[in-house]
Amino acid sequence: DRGYGLDAIQTRLPEDLHRPFRAVRKASRHFADLFAGLDLRGSSGEVQSTPRSMLRLLALGGGPKECAGLLDLLRTEGLRCVCRPVRHREDLLRALASGEADALILLGDPTDASVREYLTVLQEAAAQVPVFDAVGAPIQALVQPLRATLERTRQIGAADEVWRRVEEIALRDALTGVLNRRAFERFSAQEFARAQRYGYPLAVALFDLDWFKEVNDSLGHAAGDRLLQVFASYLHSSVRQSDLVARLGGDEFALLMTHTDGAGALALTQRLRETVESHIRDVLPPLERPPGVSVSLAVYPAVHVERFEDLLAAADTALYRAKRDGRGRLHPAANSAPI
């Protein structure tokens, strides 16, 4: 209210506008409180741009396993990144055009035909995105250039960065960087409504880490956190950009697959279950009960599924059955479309 005399303004408004005016005033105070803790002012009192906390990487010539391994190594050096592999020429062009990558990482042999094609695309597009060769290079050789790249991305303007930080707080799981439960349910409900309107299929898979408590008890909570981060990185690197990956809480994750029917969802989910289970076992020391992965799958359209909440509930029931029947398996929901 300072400097604006809002009390005086309210007295001049017609009686029927007093109530909406108070509502707007209250909302503005709440909005100001939200930003008050972001500390955007430096010692000079001027608004400063705030640092980006995460670097966005695209991998050329590598797959989900290589991406997840790279992220794990960079995390040990104190550098937080997200990484996904480029799958084809159009994927790279779209990423460059939309500005969704801060840097490109070469994870494959430069003499490989697909990698050569990617490098040609970069040259033809005159892309300004830096490219780093990680093939055979020690991780320490990448850390400093990547840190410098992250530092350059900080100069994007204070207002843009404020919204990025608000979005990160509201939508992202702080530990793994994937969507949180609230964001997943919100965006998935929107996708479900589109699927109903336009008549296309979608599927949701729930992943639960078997014997996760054993990891925490035997190796400590730091190892448990690393397991969750490695799992999320691998899952996020393995799916399409249009799919949604989220941590629902604890050791439970979700994947929403848009425009995916039962056969396609089953093949993808089974492959993911097997490969991510193998990967997380590789990165942890041997355990008496090595961690595994139980998965459920529910597909729309399905009987008695009219809302996204119904689809998620069907997947949750199927996940309980997968755990009950011995863990380390995929269990489709009983009321899903034929798979």
Side-chain angles (χ1 to χ4, degrees):
D1 296 357
R2 185 175 59 212
Y4 294 95
L6 295 183
D7 289 328
I9 292 174
Q10 181 172 331
T11 61
R12 298 178 185 179
L13 290 173
E15 186 69 29
D16 60 338
L17 293 182
H18 283 192
R19 186 171 181 179
F21 180 83
R22 287 195 299 270
V24 171
R25 189 173 172 182
K26 181 178 180 181
S28 67
R29 285 174 176 165
H30 176 72
F31 194 69
D33 290 341
L34 176 65
F35 283 87
L38 292 180
D39 191 20
L40 301 177
R41 297 188 178 274
S43 57
S44 64
E46 297 180 352
V47 174
Q48 308 291 324
S49 75
T50 52
R52 282 270 300 277
S53 61
M54 194 174 295
L55 201 60
R56 301 167 302 168
L57 306 177
L58 285 179
L60 305 180
K65 184 173 183 179
E66 289 76 17
C67 285
L70 175 66
L71 293 179
D72 194 36
L73 290 174
L74 292 174
R75 196 179 294 117
T76 64
E77 298 292 331
L79 192 58
R80 294 186 65 200
C81 305
V82 291
C83 179
R84 70 174 183 86
V86 174
R87 293 179 171 83
H88 45 73
R89 176 190 179 96
E90 290 72 22
D91 187 21
L92 177 57
L93 287 170
R94 184 171 59 249
L96 294 174
S98 62
E100 68 180 60
D102 299 316
L104 299 173
I105 297 290
L106 192 61
L107 294 180
D109 188 343
T111 62
D112 182 77
S114 62
V115 176
R116 286 205 312 273
E117 181 183 12
Y118 294 146
L119 296 176
T120 301
V121 169
L122 290 174
Q123 187 175 12
E124 292 174 348
Q128 300 301 310
V129 182
V131 181
F132 302 105
D133 189 351
V135 179
I139 192 64
Q140 290 76 14
L142 288 174
V143 170
Q144 192 56 39
L146 287 175
R147 280 209 177 102
T149 301
L150 179 58
E151 196 67 27
R152 285 193 293 272
T153 66
R154 299 172 66 173
Q155 312 306 317
I156 62 173
D160 287 346
E161 187 55 31
V162 166
W163 285 114
R164 287 180 185 274
R165 293 185 65 187
V166 170
E167 180 188 42
E168 185 172 333
I169 293 169
L171 305 180
R172 299 286 172 182
D173 173 62
L175 178 65
T176 63
V178 297
L179 295 177
N180 59 30
R181 186 183 191 105
R182 178 182 296 180
F184 178 76
E185 291 178 346
R186 172 186 167 189
F187 296 146
S188 296
Q190 294 171 352
E191 287 293 343
F192 186 86
R194 278 191 281 271
Q196 281 185 313
R197 184 179 304 118
Y198 299 112
Y200 62 77
L202 56 78
V204 63
L206 298 183
F207 295 77
D208 190 272
L209 295 176
D210 301 327
W211 313 118
F212 179 69
K213 186 175 182 300
E214 302 276 337
V215 176
N216 279 332
D217 292 345
S218 302
L219 303 177
H221 287 280
D225 287 349
R226 183 188 175 211
L227 174 59
L228 295 174
Q229 291 168 333
V230 168
F231 181 89
S233 297
Y234 190 97
L235 195 61
H236 187 263
S237 301
S238 302
V239 299
R240 302 169 300 179
Q241 192 175 1
S242 59
D243 297 333
L244 301 179
V245 177
R247 182 187 178 199
L248 301 186
D251 59 346
E252 186 175 343
F253 292 80
L255 168 63
L256 182 79
M257 295 162 276
T258 60
H259 295 274
T260 306
D261 61 14
L266 180 65
L268 173 62
T269 308
Q270 184 61 50
R271 176 176 60 80
L272 281 176
R273 197 210 71 78
E274 294 171 355
T275 57
V276 74
E277 182 177 80
S278 173
H279 182 66
I280 61 176
R281 289 179 177 180
D282 287 343
V283 300
L284 288 178
L287 293 168
E288 182 178 350
R289 283 179 171 174
V293 181
S294 295
V295 188
S296 65
L297 178 65
V299 181
Y300 173 83
V303 179
H304 304 308
V305 174
E306 299 178 355
R307 306 172 303 159
F308 175 72
E309 290 82 354
D310 301 331
L311 190 67
L312 194 61
D316 194 57
T317 300
L319 182 61
Y320 170 78
R321 291 173 180 162
K323 303 285 281 189
R324 183 195 62 188
D325 292 346
R327 309 173 192 250
R329 64 191 63 211
L330 186 156
H331 202 303
N335 63 339
S336 291
I339 294 179

